[in-house]
Amino acid sequence: MERLGSIPEYRRMFEAAYPNQRFRDMTFAHASNAIAGFLTARLAFNNSPWDRFLAGNDRAMTLVQLQGAKNFMSARCSICHNGPALTDNKFHNVAVAQLGPGKGDGTGGLDDFGRGRETGILTERYAFRTPPLRNVELTAPYGHDGAFFGLRDFVDHYSESDIKLRDFNVSQLEPALRGTVLPTLTEILATRDPLLTGVFFPPQVVDEVTEFMKALTDPAARNLTGITPGRVPSGLSVSVR
């Protein structure tokens, strides 16, 4: 707050946001609440076709998306992907190849043990938090380390994920990452989530579930330029990509 308070415009804005409170009496809780208010007001994105369907609009989704939703709910996907954000906020090993610089684990320090790194529990190695699925169509790459660039490819990975891990094609990665894939197949499969055992999706089901994933996209999330300020009180540059 001291840094924010050194900028007069921020002081005025905070006091306008919190009437009858002086900036000098505020704590960082006020800043975090302001950030949370912005996220809730501008980045909630709860007007996807799926949201409209749940609200009673039977025409909000295509027939393929509806079939994908049925597949998603009847298969094991919804065990982990549930609730408003479609995540259980728990940790699961879904047999994704290990690549990239790692987090200092394993031989050479190039591995990432995921949840097991934090808990020290061997059976939790390579388990990572279930990601929310809202706007997932727009959030590539996929997997905790970005091993997949296509949404359909990642959906397909869950079908016979042990085989998919063994046959992982490094050519789909950017050249700089191809040599970083670790030979940890046995270790990853040793702690793979039992929920994935026996999971098989024929190509049509993969297509349908992928289309359902697209029905989780709020149109407003496709272009965020409208929420980017032209300037900020600190005077720092604002870049828009």
Side-chain angles (χ1 to χ4, degrees):
M1 292 300 287
E2 183 177 349
R3 290 179 60 191
L4 290 172
S6 67
I7 302 171
E9 187 175 353
Y10 271 134
R11 296 176 68 93
R12 292 193 296 270
M13 292 174 71
F14 269 94
E15 290 178 346
Y18 295 97
N20 302 318
Q21 295 190 51
R22 291 178 293 187
F23 184 86
R24 68 186 183 189
D25 298 326
M26 296 182 190
T27 68
F28 197 74
H30 292 80
S32 62
N33 286 337
I35 294 171
F38 170 78
L39 294 177
T40 302
R42 303 301 300 274
L43 297 173
F45 297 132
N46 54 6
N47 189 37
S48 69
W50 176 241
D51 292 308
R52 296 196 295 273
F53 174 77
L54 293 179
N57 183 350
D58 292 339
R59 296 184 178 182
M61 295 169 60
T62 68
L63 291 177
V64 175
Q65 290 172 335
L66 287 170
Q67 183 58 49
K70 181 178 179 180
N71 295 333
F72 183 91
M73 299 302 171
S74 61
R76 301 174 191 174
C77 314
S78 59
I79 295 177
C80 302
H81 292 284
N82 53 64
L86 293 169
T87 174
D88 60 2
N89 281 313
K90 296 180 180 179
F91 299 82
H92 302 273
N93 173 353
V94 297
V96 173
Q98 286 293 112
L99 58 93
K103 289 292 186 69
D105 299 322
T107 303
L110 298 177
D111 211 341
D112 181 355
F113 290 160
R115 184 60 175 169
R117 185 172 197 269
E118 306 301 322
T119 65
I121 300 174
L122 293 180
T123 55
E124 293 186 348
R125 286 188 177 182
Y126 305 112
F128 296 86
R129 191 186 297 275
T130 305
L133 294 182
R134 285 189 174 274
N135 300 314
V136 66
E137 175 191 4
L138 309 177
T139 60
Y142 305 102
H144 67 274
D145 54 5
F148 296 87
F149 287 86
L151 180 57
R152 187 192 185 281
D153 292 336
F154 197 38
V155 173
D156 185 53
H157 168 77
Y158 285 81
S159 174
E160 300 180 305
S161 58
D162 54 335
I163 296 176
K164 298 291 172 46
L165 177 60
R166 292 188 179 97
D167 296 339
F168 182 71
N169 182 7
V170 299
S171 67
Q172 66 182 302
L173 300 173
E174 294 182 5
L177 292 174
R178 293 173 186 171
T180 69
V181 178
L182 298 180
T184 51
L185 183 151
T186 301
E187 293 87 343
I188 294 173
L189 292 181
T191 61
R192 184 182 67 151
D193 197 307
L195 286 171
L196 295 180
T197 302
V199 173
F200 171 75
F201 299 144
Q204 181 176 338
V205 170
V206 174
D207 290 338
E208 292 166 346
V209 171
T210 302
E211 288 304 308
F212 169 59
M213 297 288 99
K214 296 177 182 179
L216 302 176
T217 301
D218 185 324
R222 295 186 181 279
N223 186 346
L224 302 181
T225 56
I227 65 174
T228 304
R231 57 173 292 277
V232 291
S234 65
L236 296 173
S237 62
V238 179
S239 61
V240 180
R241 295 183 179 180

